[in-house]
Amino acid sequence: MADPVISGNGVFSHVFIGAADVEQSAAFYDAALGALGINNLGPFGNGWVLYGREKPAFIIARPGNGEAPSSNGVTVGFAAATPAEVDAFHAAGLAAGGTDEGQPGPRGHLPGAYAAYLRDPAGNKVCSYTFI
């Protein structure tokens, strides 16, 4: 069987989030995900931008139905290898137009968790977690 084009590490096939301004959101994700070693794998189709380590797993684009993007109540979490990567994700995301939704630091609800939360320029909530 051939390798899948998109890969969610056996948990999901991919995550797709809407962006009203794809270029602005791509600049944010290039910075924030780049700090985690997740790469912009380039454009695809009609305005999609693909991200992943080797295969696309995260996609940003204008919503297909033409309506404004909305993700209230949804959070996408990205894995980090170290607390320093979480810190870099947060700092890079803020510098690239994101807003703070939770400073980097330990999280009491999960033993050993260290995380940070951001809102991207389109208002989507994203975070990065590692366990120490």
Side-chain angles (χ1 to χ4, degrees):
M1 181 163 60
D3 286 338
V5 173
I6 53 178
S7 170
N9 197 32
V11 176
F12 56 87
S13 65
H14 66 285
V15 172
F16 183 111
I17 61 169
D21 183 331
V22 175
E23 286 184 20
Q24 181 185 37
S25 290
F28 169 84
Y29 284 108
D30 287 355
L33 297 185
L36 300 174
I38 300 169
N39 304 307
N40 179 328
L41 300 175
F44 178 81
N46 189 18
W48 295 14
V49 180
L50 310 175
Y51 290 86
R53 295 194 193 280
E54 295 176 16
K55 298 176 189 170
F58 182 70
I59 303 163
I60 60 171
R62 284 181 211 61
N65 65 3
E67 295 183 20
S70 173
S71 64
N72 188 33
V74 174
T75 302
V76 178
F78 296 95
T82 65
E85 279 194 358
V86 171
D87 295 347
F89 162 86
H90 192 262
L94 289 175
T99 56
D100 177 51
E101 276 289 322
Q103 290 286 313
R107 296 300 190 260
H109 60 280
L110 291 170
Y114 186 94
Y117 287 80
L118 294 165
R119 290 271 179 184
D120 74 7
N124 297 295
K125 187 190 286 186
V126 295
C127 65
S128 181
Y129 267 76
T130 192
F131 292 86
I132 48 178

